[in-house]
Amino acid sequence: MTPSDLLSAVLLIAGAAFFLAGTLGLLRFPDVYTRLHALTKADNVGLGLVVAGLAMQAESLAGAGKLLLIWLLVLLAGASVAHLVAAAARQRGIKLWRR
Amino acid sequence: MTVHTVVGRQGLEFTPREYLRSGCLRAVLFALMWWTLTDGVMDSWLVGTPVILFATLASVVLLPPFSWSLLGLVRFVPFFLWRSLYGGVDVARRALQPRLPISPGLLDYRWRLPPGLPQVFMANIVSLLPGTLSVELGANCLQVHVLDERKDFLSELEKVEQRVAAIFGISLPLSRGGE
């Protein structure tokens, strides 16, 4: 195992940990707004780390670029959809959970 | 009261030369994307060239040229990567702690950015940064859901807005303190 393989494995595992934490947040957080926080942020970082780990294993520059493109598209989609879901929830008068 | 005293190019008409410049730049970006998607296979350019031309045309029609700054963009990238990493760690930490340390609230952030692309861009960025989620993109305010209302998000949002303004080459009025 080369050092770059090791780093790649560490990044992939760290990415998976973020996905796990994001899913846990989705299940544990009390309302739609807080759940969106867990999904957008944890998954964005999780995917970023997975993409970084995979890009290190990519055979070509174009392959790494493709992964980066995927991450950027997911960022854009994630942020826009989170905003749309939150705006729709607000319009329907869904109250936010307060401590 | 609106504070849109923006010293930018927004709202001004663009000259054909600027359309051409922006079109060329976007064509280069689309070509780069095509190269990435096809692994640079030579034969693919037969399809790629018309696709790139059409994409450029559609892009310029749908999103007219806007002023932006390379320096602002370059400075934004590390800031965004670092803050969004922190955002992920922050929300993961809260989700994992047994007592669930969150105290959500809503706040209205009065825009200093001009409407259009800069505001939409900022609303999207806000959703990816620590503890904030854009709820409503209003004419005067951005309504933000925060995960922990005890934190000072106002100065945080002001910093983000400043950075977004730098990307679009806009100078903002000075910070106006609390609301």
Side-chain angles (χ1 to χ4, degrees), chain B residues 133-145:
Chain B
L133 175 76
S134 299
V135 176
E136 210 170 295
L137 215 163
N140 297 319
C141 288
L142 176 67
Q143 193 174 54
V144 180
H145 182 270

Side-chain angles (χ1 to χ4, degrees), chain B residues 34-81:
Chain B
W34 184 266
W35 175 82
T36 308
L37 289 175
T38 58
D39 279 318
V41 177
M42 257 346 241
D43 291 349
S44 79
W45 291 100
L46 203 64
V47 185
T49 312
V51 169
I52 290 162
L53 287 177
F54 183 75
T56 307
L57 197 69
S59 138
V60 174
V61 169
L62 293 172
L63 183 70
F66 54 88
S67 57
W68 61 286
S69 138
L70 187 63
L71 188 66
L73 190 64
V74 168
R75 281 187 178 158
F76 183 79
V77 172
F79 164 79
F80 173 73
L81 289 180

Side-chain angles (χ1 to χ4, degrees), chain B residues 17-126:
Chain B
R17 224 186 114 173
E18 282 167 315
Y19 267 98
L20 195 68
R21 238 191 80 188
S22 155
C24 286
L25 186 67
R26 290 181 202 190
V28 170
L29 281 178
F30 288 130
L32 201 64
M33 249 186 244
W34 184 266
W35 175 82
T36 308
L37 289 175
T38 58
D39 279 318
V41 177
M42 257 346 241
D43 291 349
S44 79
W45 291 100
L46 203 64
V47 185
T49 312
V51 169
I52 290 162
L53 287 177
F54 183 75
T56 307
L57 197 69
S59 138
V60 174
V61 169
L62 293 172
L63 183 70
F66 54 88
S67 57
W68 61 286
S69 138
L70 187 63
L71 188 66
L73 190 64
V74 168
R75 281 187 178 158
F76 183 79
V77 172
F79 164 79
F80 173 73
L81 289 180
W82 180 246
R83 294 304 292 166
S84 66
L85 180 64
Y86 179 75
V89 172
D90 176 64
V91 84
R93 186 179 60 79
R94 291 173 196 273
L96 289 169
Q97 278 187 32
R99 61 187 179 87
L100 209 63
I102 56 171
S103 168
L106 277 177
L107 68 88
D108 283 319
Y109 182 76
R110 186 138 29 89
W111 287 117
R112 287 178 295 166
L113 285 171
L117 193 62
Q119 283 188 1
V120 174
F121 188 84
M122 164 134 175
N124 274 328
I125 293 300
V126 162

Side-chain angles (χ1 to χ4, degrees), chain B residues 5-21:
Chain B
T5 45
V6 172
V7 192
R9 309 272 319 275
Q10 261 65 20
L12 294 177
E13 284 298 312
F14 287 91
T15 63
R17 224 186 114 173
E18 282 167 315
Y19 267 98
L20 195 68
R21 238 191 80 188

Side-chain angles (χ1 to χ4, degrees), chain A residues 26-82:
Chain A
L26 179 68
L27 295 171
R28 287 194 71 206
F29 282 172
D31 68 352
V32 57
Y33 307 103
T34 47
R35 284 175 175 167
L36 284 171
H37 279 276
L39 272 188
T40 46
K41 292 178 233 329
D43 285 11
N44 147 35
V45 173
L47 186 66
L49 292 171
V50 168
V51 158
L54 290 177
M56 293 185 68
Q57 303 286 328
E59 281 160 9
S60 64
L61 193 61
K66 228 178 280 186
L67 289 164
L68 182 68
L69 218 53
I70 292 172
W71 186 55
L72 290 176
L73 283 175
V74 170
L75 277 192
L76 184 67
S80 315
V81 170

